[in-house]
Amino acid sequence: MATDPSANDSAPGGRRAGPIFFQRQEFQRLLNLYGRMVAAGEWRDYSIEPGPEACAFSVFRRAAEAPLYRIEKRPALARRQGAWAVIGQGGMILRRGHELEQVLRFFDKGRFKVID
């Protein structure tokens, strides 16, 4: 007897698991970062891409271009590498961690400038 591969995709209670979304606090933190970067002239557009394995918040310099960064929430990796990641244009993982705040510090590194 063959097993149904989709049987493992079910959530507890027999219902199918839906797409992954950001929680309200997570989304608010992402929008705060986005607003700060728009005010600095770095970013101009964003998109949200919920999916069955991950949810991504992508930011763009121009809407017609590929995203500059993708901030991903992937709950399946929460116990291993961390559920959160910042992914660059080439698909390279630039930062990964267990907490959103920790991962978003990647964007704070250019905040302080040395002046003469």
Side-chain angles (χ1 to χ4, degrees):
M1 177 184 276
T3 59
D4 182 14
S6 64
N8 293 334
D9 295 339
S10 298
R15 61 181 178 87
R16 271 188 173 265
I20 306 296
F21 288 103
F22 295 116
Q23 293 177 358
R24 181 183 298 255
Q25 293 170 336
E26 297 165 347
F27 188 60
Q28 184 63 47
R29 180 61 183 103
L30 291 169
L31 286 178
N32 288 344
L33 171 66
Y34 175 74
R36 193 175 79 215
M37 297 302 268
V38 166
E42 297 288 324
W43 298 347
R44 298 235 165 98
D45 200 8
Y46 74 91
S47 71
I48 301 169
E49 304 140 26
E53 296 177 9
C55 187
F57 183 86
S58 300
V59 294
F60 302 84
R61 181 162 289 141
R62 289 178 190 82
E65 296 179 352
L68 290 174
Y69 299 102
R70 266 187 7 248
I71 302 165
E72 269 191 4
K73 176 183 179 181
R74 196 172 288 271
L77 297 177
R79 291 185 174 235
R80 290 179 233 137
Q81 303 145 338
W84 294 96
V86 174
I87 301 170
Q89 277 186 318
M92 182 179 203
I93 297 174
L94 304 173
R95 185 122 188 213
R96 181 176 288 286
H98 294 281
E99 299 293 326
L100 178 60
E101 287 296 324
Q102 167 196 7
V103 171
L104 293 182
R105 284 191 203 122
F106 171 81
F107 298 105
D108 291 341
K109 66 182 176 186
R111 221 169 158 182
F112 302 104
K113 296 180 182 173
V114 178
I115 54 174
D116 294 317

